[in-house]
Amino acid sequence: MQWAWIVLVILSLLGAVFVAKAVVAPVAFSLFLIAMIWPLQSRLQARVPRLIALAISILVLVVAFSAFASLVVWAFGRVGRWIIFNLNQFQALYNQMTLWLENHGIVMASLWADHFNARWIVSFLQTLTGQVNTTLSFWLVVLVYVILGLLEVEGTARKIRSLPSPRAARILLAGSAETAFKIRRYMIVRTQMSVLTGALVWAFAMLFGLPLAEEWGVIAFTLNYIPFIGPFIATLFPTLLAMVQFETWQAVIVLFACLNVIQFVVGSYIEPRLSGSVLAMSPFVVLFSIFLWTFLWGLPGTFIGLPITIAILTFCAQDPATRWLAVQFGPPDEADLPAPARSEG
């Protein structure tokens, strides 16, 4: 009966998070960004007035995100223009595939006529425009939360220390500090691996003679911030381009295989050794958290899902009553188990 109540509470919380996406998602992203930018804010305000330190921190944050967004727009825009310019080649490839499928009893012409017509294209462009406007509004709200949050970090910490329950205060303070450290470590390692992946994809595309080599490197760099799903998409896009660029299927298969080898070596061999036990987590939990939060929040959930899971397991590890959850959903090796709860003082 107790487990039934626990499941009911979890499902109720997830339902509330889903319904209140417009309110909760910006708060989650703002807490993520505050964890990232707080060390800079703390060092700056020790030397200059707090408002000046806040202005510098926000400027650094805006510049970093603007540069990242510009890279994404540049790379995907160049690829999109290349596809439009070579649309006839894609049409010819589609005709070949349709003919081959029809010879094997699979009819594709009706599917293309029903779903890929002028009305569908107009609807897609309208949806894309609406999504851009929604994204800009979303990040504006997040920025406001970040500014207010950076001003209240120290005051919130003092309020937590004054709680009547020392146990609750210890869990909140230790869990928050440990979560912020792990998120920063996660982003540092993820950025290093994204740069390495982008450089390797660019170099391989250059050697292979694939058009838009720089753009594929940038796309691999940006999509690598989304575990599992991002790297797969980063290998799928250039493979589709190679299907119209090269004459043989063998070349396309070799390209796809080599890109996946790059992603596998970086993601499964190099990255775990750099991150160590700080971010150790069951691969099943990583994948499940990505799909769960993508279902709840869409594309923003794809990115923020893993940091949210890191935070949940970190807080669970701070108290003996819930540490078993961190152990069960942690790494399979005992040496990588989460650290036990820290005592005060």
Side-chain angles (χ1 to χ4, degrees):
M1 190 65 180
Q2 182 180 4
W3 282 104
W5 279 107
I6 293 176
V7 172
L8 182 61
V9 169
I10 293 175
L11 292 177
S12 300
L13 288 175
L14 292 176
V17 167
F18 176 78
V19 173
K21 168 188 173 181
V23 177
V24 181
V27 174
F29 270 92
S30 65
L31 292 175
F32 171 81
L33 294 176
I34 290 171
M36 293 291 300
I37 203 70
W38 173 247
L40 174 63
Q41 170 74 13
S42 179
R43 292 188 181 94
L44 287 173
Q45 68 184 23
R47 296 172 173 82
V48 299
R50 186 170 64 162
L51 291 180
I52 296 178
L54 177 64
I56 296 174
S57 299
I58 295 300
L59 179 62
V60 170
L61 183 64
V62 170
V63 169
F65 267 76
S66 299
F68 186 85
S70 299
L71 279 176
V72 173
V73 172
W74 173 80
F76 280 96
R78 294 265 297 177
V79 171
R81 286 193 293 271
W82 191 94
I83 292 175
I84 293 174
F85 184 77
N86 295 274
L87 198 58
N88 291 334
Q89 298 184 46
F90 284 97
Q91 182 65 48
L93 176 64
Y94 168 77
N95 292 335
Q96 294 177 8
M97 294 178 61
T98 300
L99 181 62
W100 184 87
L101 290 172
E102 288 179 351
N103 291 334
H104 290 77
I106 303 175
V107 180
M108 293 290 294
S110 61
L111 180 65
W112 177 270
D114 292 340
H115 297 281
F116 297 95
N117 48 36
R119 183 182 302 175
W120 179 86
I121 295 174
V122 172
S123 176
F124 174 77
L125 292 176
Q126 291 175 342
T127 302
L128 184 62
T129 303
Q131 185 66 38
V132 170
N133 294 331
T134 302
T135 301
L136 292 176
S137 303
F138 175 86
W139 286 112
L140 181 61
V141 174
V142 170
L143 184 62
V144 173
Y145 278 138
V146 170
I147 294 173
L148 297 176
L150 287 174
L151 291 173
E152 297 182 8
V153 169
E154 294 176 326
T156 302
R158 287 193 297 268
K159 293 177 182 178
I160 292 175
R161 292 190 187 95
S162 64
L163 289 175
S165 172
R167 178 185 176 186
R170 174 185 59 78
I171 292 174
L172 289 174
L173 289 174
S176 299
E178 190 72 13
T179 297
F181 170 75
K182 287 187 175 184
I183 287 177
R184 288 193 293 270
R185 179 68 178 273
Y186 165 76
M187 288 303 296
I188 290 172
V189 174
R190 180 63 64 179
T191 299
Q192 292 172 339
M193 294 302 97
S194 296
V195 171
L196 177 60
T197 301
L200 290 175
V201 169
W202 167 77
F204 176 76
M206 287 283 292
L207 293 174
F208 208 80
L210 190 67
L212 307 174
E214 294 180 356
E215 287 79 355
W216 296 127
V218 171
I219 288 175
F221 162 74
T222 56
L223 291 180
N224 198 64
Y225 281 95
I226 303 174
F228 292 109
I229 301 175
F232 174 75
I233 297 176
T235 60
L236 186 62
F237 282 165
T239 302
L240 294 175
L241 182 145
M243 292 173 67
V244 301
Q245 183 68 23
F246 301 115
E247 297 181 356
T248 63
W249 286 99
Q250 291 83 349
V252 176
I253 294 173
V254 169
L255 174 72
F256 182 72
C258 291
L259 290 176
N260 276 278
V261 167
I262 292 173
Q263 299 285 0
F264 176 79
V265 171
V266 174
S268 301
Y269 183 79
I270 301 177
E271 183 175 344
R273 281 155 180 77
L274 287 180
S275 60
S277 61
V278 174
L279 300 179
M281 193 181 302
S282 167
F284 171 81
V285 175
V286 173
L287 189 60
F288 177 77
S289 65
I290 293 172
F291 281 114
L292 174 64
W293 289 100
T294 301
F295 169 76
L296 293 175
W297 289 351
L299 184 60
T302 306
F303 178 83
I304 201 69
L306 189 54
I308 290 176
T309 305
I310 291 173
I312 293 173
L313 294 182
T314 302
F315 274 96
C316 288
Q318 302 305 314
D319 191 84
T322 55
R323 188 171 184 265
W324 65 273
L325 285 171
V327 173
Q328 292 299 320
F329 295 114
D333 297 330
E334 292 185 4
D336 293 334
L337 289 177
R342 301 178 180 180
S343 59
E344 287 186 303

